[in-house]
Amino acid sequence: METWKISEWQAMGYLVMIVFATSILFVPGLVAKEASTASWLALIIALAVGMLIALISTSLGLRYPGKTLIQYAVDILGFPLGKLVSLLFIFYFFYVSYFVLRQFQALMSAAYMPETPPVVFMVLLTLLSCSALYLGLEVIVRANSLILFFNLLAILIIFFVFIGTVDWFNLKPDFSKGVGPIINGSLSPSSWFGETAAILMLIPFIQRKSAVRRITLYALLLLFFLLEIVIITVVGNFGPERTSRLVFPLFTLLSQPPHFVQELFFQPSALFMAVWISGMLMKLTTFFFAGVYGLAQWFGLASYRCLVLPGGALIVVLAFISWPNTERLLDFSRYTFPLFVLSINLGLPLLLYVFSLFRHGLNRTKGAA
């Protein structure tokens, strides 16, 4: 297959972007519905879960540094069980791809271009993603580094614009119902943090394997910092009750900027759209790449590129038919998506790691292919 080489810092930026792009849409509302004024505390629990997933995933991947999980699942579990487990991972990659596509369409239709047919947004973003996939992983991660810089800059600008209007009483935890609501509120961000398990498809291409675990944990810490900024800004301004009722809380906040911002003719929602679209493109491309690349390895193909256009058509169709409206999409994000993602990103790597220890022992050489 391919012989790409990426740096550990490019991989770290890649992990940050694939989580951040969609989490800022739904996480504030989903967390506020359960954890209320303790939403920012729920994120700490989610970080701990994310780090557990990262440690398991990197420990597993570094035992087979020259292979993706699609390949070494068969080494660990044998045939046909290993093939079935790797196929489940491939399904997960495609599943997240068309989920991301539907999220993108939902916001574009609701907030920016309601008269445009929804399928137009899906097709355009998918075509851009297909073009990126033909260029290869090295080009994608370089573009992602630039996109990530502008996303970080935009979030910092948004934070400083709205920090003056935050009501800190909205962030004072209420423990009258115990810690149960906080734990429930952590489930959704835990699943998003768990998406950093995508490192399992990147490890073979990272030049310095010794840095893999460190940069994965760094990515989680940066994501935690960024999502805390978003939650503090949104819940602090709207309060937990109103935040939980909004479909896209951050966008709603940006469409109501303070008066001094309006006087400067600066629209935060326009800034958000510009950087968010690029972030969504990176996330779609990441999971779409993992899906088609993994499928090519599963079938033993010499190249993944022959699967790009058929795969793109598939995710557009699935995104279009899977959720009839935004309300159903939001319910899926709240109840189904977290459990499904955690079962894949925590359950399956843990299973493979345990079986790997039994099959290949504790001291498998890190350089083994």
Side-chain angles (χ1 to χ4, degrees), residues 337-348:
F337 182 75
L339 295 175
F340 173 70
V341 170
L342 285 175
S343 66
I344 296 292
N345 289 330
L346 177 58
L348 288 184

Side-chain angles (χ1 to χ4, degrees), residues 202-352:
L202 294 178
I203 288 176
F205 310 113
I206 298 174
Q207 290 175 312
R208 270 207 318 142
K209 302 290 192 293
S210 60
V212 166
R213 183 174 290 111
R214 183 173 69 251
I215 60 100
T216 306
L217 295 177
Y218 285 170
L220 281 166
L221 289 172
L222 181 55
L223 282 165
F224 170 75
F225 172 72
L226 293 172
L227 281 178
E228 282 287 26
I229 285 179
V230 173
I231 286 177
I232 289 171
T233 304
V234 174
V235 178
N237 275 275
F238 285 151
E241 185 176 345
R242 185 182 177 192
T243 300
S244 66
R245 293 199 308 266
L246 296 171
V247 178
F248 305 113
L250 179 59
F251 174 78
T252 303
L253 178 66
L254 297 179
S255 64
Q256 303 170 12
H259 292 299
F260 77 91
V261 175
Q262 297 178 24
E263 291 172 359
L264 293 174
F265 302 101
F266 168 63
Q267 285 296 326
S269 59
L271 173 66
F272 173 76
M273 182 184 73
V275 298
W276 174 76
I277 288 177
S278 61
M280 291 295 280
L281 174 61
M282 284 297 103
K283 177 154 189 175
L284 173 62
T285 301
T286 298
F287 282 94
F288 188 26
F289 162 77
V292 296
Y293 191 82
L295 193 60
Q297 288 186 322
W298 199 84
F299 281 117
L301 302 179
S303 174
Y304 68 93
R305 289 179 173 85
C306 62
L307 300 175
V308 171
L309 287 180
L314 176 65
I315 63 173
V316 169
V317 171
L318 291 173
F320 190 74
I321 66 175
S322 295
W323 298 278
N325 52 54
T326 304
E327 183 179 352
R328 293 284 292 275
L329 179 68
L330 190 61
D331 286 341
F332 174 82
S333 302
R334 178 179 295 125
Y335 302 114
T336 307
F337 182 75
L339 295 175
F340 173 70
V341 170
L342 285 175
S343 66
I344 296 292
N345 289 330
L346 177 58
L348 288 184
L350 180 59
L351 174 72
L352 288 172

Side-chain angles (χ1 to χ4, degrees), residues 108-121:
M108 293 299 294
S109 294
Y112 293 108
M113 302 178 183
E115 301 299 322
T116 304
V119 71
V120 172
F121 300 117

Side-chain angles (χ1 to χ4, degrees), residues 34-41 169-182 240:
E34 301 291 341
S36 189
T37 55
S39 296
W40 59 276
L41 282 178
F169 183 78
N170 290 330
L171 300 168
K172 183 180 179 181
D174 178 11
F175 295 106
S176 61
K177 297 180 181 179
V179 297
I182 300 175

Side-chain angles (χ1 to χ4, degrees), residues 95-176:
Y95 195 63
V96 175
S97 296
Y98 68 82
F99 177 50
V100 170
L101 202 56
R102 184 63 173 82
Q103 288 176 308
F104 173 75
Q105 176 271 316
L107 181 58
M108 293 299 294
S109 294
Y112 293 108
M113 302 178 183
E115 301 299 322
T116 304
V119 71
V120 172
F121 300 117
M122 298 180 188
V123 170
L124 288 177
L125 195 69
T126 302
L127 288 175
L128 287 173
S129 182
C130 289
S131 300
L133 260 63
Y134 277 112
L135 294 174
L137 183 62
E138 291 181 354
V139 175
I140 294 171
V141 296
R142 289 188 192 121
N144 180 78
S145 299
L146 182 63
I147 291 170
L148 177 62
F149 170 78
F150 285 108
N151 271 263
L152 296 178
L153 183 61
I155 285 298
L156 290 176
I157 291 173
I158 289 168
F159 178 70
F160 287 115
V161 164
F162 288 94
I163 190 64
T165 57
V166 167
D167 182 353
W168 296 100
F169 183 78
N170 290 330
L171 300 168
K172 183 180 179 181
D174 178 11
F175 295 106
S176 61

